[in-house]
Amino acid sequence: MTHPGLRVVMMVANDVTNDSRVRKEAEALAETGAEVTVLGVSAGDLPSREMLDGALIVRVAVPFALREERKRSRAARRDWRPPLVGFKYRSTSVARSQRIQAELEELKADSGRAIARAEAGQGNPLEFKLGAAARLLRRSRWQAAKKATRVRTGVGSKADGPFKFGWRAYDGVIHRLGWPAPWRKLHPEALDLEIAFGDLIDRLEPDVVHAHDMHVIGVATRAAGRAKLRGKDLKVVYDAHEYVAGLSRYGARTRRSIAAWANHEAEYIADADRVITVSPAIAQRLQREHKLDHEPIVIMNTPNPADVSVEVSDLRSRIGLASDVPLLVYSGGVTRARGIHTAVQALVDLPDVHLAVVCVPSVETDAVRELQAQAVSLEVQDRLHCLDPVKPDEVVAFLRTADVGVIPILRYPSHEMALPNKLFEYAFAGLPVVVSDMPSMKEFVDRTRIGEVFVAADAHDLASKVRTVLGDLDSYRERVADPGYQQEVSWAGQAAKLRSLYGELVGRQLEVVQPGGRAIKKQRRLLIGPVNSAGQAWLWATALEREVSDLKAESLTTDSGAFDFRVHRTGTYQQYRSDLRWQLELTAYALREVTHVLFEAGRPMFGQEPGQLWTNDVPTLDQAGIKHGLVFHGSEIRDPALHRARYRWSPFHNPDDELTTRLQSANDLMRQHLEGYEGPIFVTTPDLLEFVDNGIWLPLTVDVEEFGSTQPVLEREVPVVLHAPSASALKGSAYVDPVLADLDARGLIRYQRVQGVPHAELAELVKSADIVVDQLLLGTYGVFACEAMAAGRVTVGHVADPVRDLLPTGLPIAEATPDDLSEVIERLVAERDTARKIADAGPSYVRDLHDGHRSVEVLLPFVNNELEVGGR
């Protein structure tokens, strides 16, 4: 039995993509049906979301403002010099010298011009002498400044050495000290992560928060503390990927830096409900040092057996090496502490052996360049192959054609207790191993007899052990392939331990209900939203499902729902704008289930912050392979300036009108985002084709049966004329109301004016009216006109000739403008037989163009992935 609604939030201070442990643990929990969200750090400046292994990965753009401020203030302290001792920046000295030189050159030019004027007899002698004196003073001033700049620069250069030496000496001492090491001062990025993740966790309201590695343990425990204020018991799992206090030292990772991270871990680890780690030695050490109530559960970072059969090119083929040439491989991070230079040195004693180094994160690092330089100096560069890494789930399959996997890590406390994940990746790739004599690894390899152990940092001993393995390779391979051993190191057993631990925390047994953690998209599924304007998304989706048997389609609205249109999925405006939990649930659903998305009105689907448009969601959909397009309904893409130029009765005739200004601004922004967009763009009314390059007309859809009416038209002596604008300013109600009110007062008609009523109520009003006045300004017709025609009512509106010319058949809408509306209505009332013919043509027109089947024809190329990019 699964835990209904179990919510888990994992955190890690990287972008998740290459963190195999995080991904496998997330998948192991997602397999139980739990909703797993992994918060990671975006590698760039933009946030992103994607589904990986059944979990929703939310990458947050973290500015690390506190960390950067520490760097800035630290640099400012080190750049400080006493006043007037040198220049703070070398560029200041250079600029000062160049300014002085320019002034002296200008002085020479002034002197030349003055002498030339005197020789030509221009001016008077006294003026020349005064000018000469002034130029002499200027020259003396700039010569003095030149000397002062030279002296100040020289003094600064001499003083710079002692300052820099002093700071180097200080660093040489302070970074070797393990105390004091205040983490808040030395690692403010831990608080940057709090700022980035803390509020997200609170808003997601998980049952368990799982902190991967020491960087985020404080974030997790503080979230649990805040949850208690809300009366909720938030469980915390701390996942210690390594022994922090014994981390290897290199570069900026000094003794003091490591001690600060250890202090950070120590401050919060006792507040975790459960601790898990990667080896028995680390588990015992953590319990002893931190006096934990529970000994940490060991969950080794072993590979997933499914990774063995991944289709990927192999290592030997990548480097072009024959199958009979012995090949060693190291796969993982490349730093001095990993001891790879020992393996390079060992190549000298192994003249026929090649070494491949799969470099994480890439070959373009200083550490890799140092290895390559070492190989050149040893004259073994032809036998060293440095390669960029493959995807995490491709590692095992990629390594399978090597002969021996090496782990030459150097002696650090964390290494002594580690069982690196590469040890198990080699095993599943079928590779015997040669490892340095770190206690945990030595015990494991000696017990399983899958390889040999050499003395750390001893290249000769490493070479000797490689020869031993290569000399009896078949025997070692048999032990690696032993089913018992493979089962011991399989991720399946580790995943079961993780689920068992979670079961204890939540008080229920967690069982696998969804192997692989992710549902396979078995059929096409279209999501249209988030507007459902006039119920169109629902009607299109319904029509598609009715006519395409293997397609599921859904509509989504996040509006208030005042008109009560039918819709499949709903969300409130507040949820759409600010409810992260709702947004991520919808995102996860779409990424798991949906194959096609149509954005309405250029709005994003999965939540909207100010200024965001649909392009905010495009990278997420592209990464998931979800096809997407746009649907525009009207004002969001109808350019007011262009409409004003083309339509006499345009509602945008005054460019300074507040509505016009607002729509123009929104339109301009929309068009900026449209530049370069490659998805299809649909428009719902034919006039919009004028405003969208390569637009596709997607006819509006009406439920013809719903609007079918048995009430006769124009049988009453005083006919009912209905006007129900959705937007009065755009529909021309300012012209309609006085005309129809006057006709009502004269007893010619009964004017029925409504606005903002639920759609079902409006439908009854339409079916009982005689004449329906739609709009007089836009030059097109919309949903309301289609509904009136479907009901067999006399429909009146302004549809410009260019729009009528686009239609495949004659449009049964009586033409009227603000100039002649009164005359048109009077004529229709007077010439009732002619008017009834217009009304009678309405239902057949709507059945032909607007009952859904034409819309399905237009959408089929999109849902069948047949639309050409750019051709639409």
Side-chain angles (χ1 to χ4, degrees), residues 80-150:
W80 180 87
R81 301 293 183 269
L84 303 180
V85 176
F87 293 94
K88 186 173 183 180
Y89 305 107
R90 183 179 181 277
S91 60
T92 305
S93 171
V94 172
R96 180 70 173 162
S97 298
Q98 291 177 343
R99 167 73 189 281
I100 293 169
Q101 188 62 36
E103 293 288 352
L104 290 171
E105 294 298 325
E106 184 176 356
L107 184 59
K108 290 179 183 179
D110 289 347
S111 297
R113 285 191 291 267
I115 293 171
R117 285 196 300 271
E119 290 176 348
Q122 299 174 354
N124 59 68
L126 179 60
E127 182 181 1
F128 176 78
K129 289 179 180 180
L130 290 174
R135 287 190 294 275
L136 181 62
L137 288 174
R138 282 170 60 195
R139 184 175 183 278
S140 299
R141 173 194 167 197
W142 289 113
Q143 289 286 5
K146 185 176 183 179
K147 291 180 181 178
T149 300
R150 189 178 299 141

Side-chain angles (χ1 to χ4, degrees), residues 324-335:
D324 59 345
V325 178
L327 177 60
L328 311 181
V329 64
Y330 170 85
S331 174
V334 178
T335 65

Side-chain angles (χ1 to χ4, degrees), residues 407-409 411 415-416 435-443 453-457 461:
I407 307 178
I409 55 177
R411 200 171 302 284
H415 289 175
E416 291 178 352
V435 305
S436 59
D437 58 345
M438 300 301 105
S440 288
M441 271 203 307
K442 183 178 186 304
E443 186 278 329
V453 180
F454 72 96
V455 177
D461 194 30

Side-chain angles (χ1 to χ4, degrees), residues 55-245:
L56 178 62
I57 312 300
V58 179
R59 297 184 181 89
V60 181
V62 184
F64 288 106
L66 298 178
R67 183 187 67 186
E68 295 307 309
E69 172 58 21
R70 178 178 183 270
K71 288 182 179 179
R72 188 204 63 77
S73 61
R74 185 174 182 269
R77 287 195 303 273
R78 288 159 187 257
D79 288 341
W80 180 87
R81 301 293 183 269
L84 303 180
V85 176
F87 293 94
K88 186 173 183 180
Y89 305 107
R90 183 179 181 277
S91 60
T92 305
S93 171
V94 172
R96 180 70 173 162
S97 298
Q98 291 177 343
R99 167 73 189 281
I100 293 169
Q101 188 62 36
E103 293 288 352
L104 290 171
E105 294 298 325
E106 184 176 356
L107 184 59
K108 290 179 183 179
D110 289 347
S111 297
R113 285 191 291 267
I115 293 171
R117 285 196 300 271
E119 290 176 348
Q122 299 174 354
N124 59 68
L126 179 60
E127 182 181 1
F128 176 78
K129 289 179 180 180
L130 290 174
R135 287 190 294 275
L136 181 62
L137 288 174
R138 282 170 60 195
R139 184 175 183 278
S140 299
R141 173 194 167 197
W142 289 113
Q143 289 286 5
K146 185 176 183 179
K147 291 180 181 178
T149 300
R150 189 178 299 141
V151 170
R152 186 174 176 185
T153 301
V155 171
S157 297
K158 290 183 179 180
D160 206 40
F163 273 92
K164 289 182 177 178
F165 175 80
W167 281 114
R168 282 197 299 270
Y170 172 83
D171 288 340
V173 173
I174 196 70
H175 287 307
R176 285 180 170 83
L177 300 178
W179 185 91
W183 68 264
R184 287 173 176 82
K185 176 182 178 182
L186 298 179
H187 294 307
E189 57 265 39
L191 297 177
D192 284 317
L193 292 168
E194 168 66 41
I195 295 168
F197 293 159
D199 181 59
L200 298 183
I201 298 171
D202 293 347
R203 291 161 67 185
L204 289 170
E205 298 184 337
D207 302 294
V208 184
V209 59
H210 187 130
H212 283 277
D213 236 335
M214 73 285 190
H215 311 92
V216 290
I217 182 175
V219 181
T221 57
R222 285 189 290 269
R226 291 191 299 273
K228 293 186 185 301
L229 291 176
R230 304 190 300 270
K232 182 176 177 62
D233 183 20
L234 172 59
K235 302 296 185 181
V236 176
V237 174
Y238 172 50
D239 198 330
H241 290 196
E242 47 198 340
Y243 178 57
V244 177

Side-chain angles (χ1 to χ4, degrees), residues 709 711-715 770 788-795 812-813 832-847:
S709 176
Q711 290 189 239
V713 175
L714 294 172
E715 291 290 332
D770 294 291
M789 287 187 286
R793 307 298 100 181
V794 181
T795 308
I813 291 181
R832 299 196 177 197
D833 289 341
T834 301
R836 290 190 189 100
K837 290 179 181 178
I838 297 174
D840 291 344
S844 61
Y845 179 86
V846 173
R847 285 192 181 91

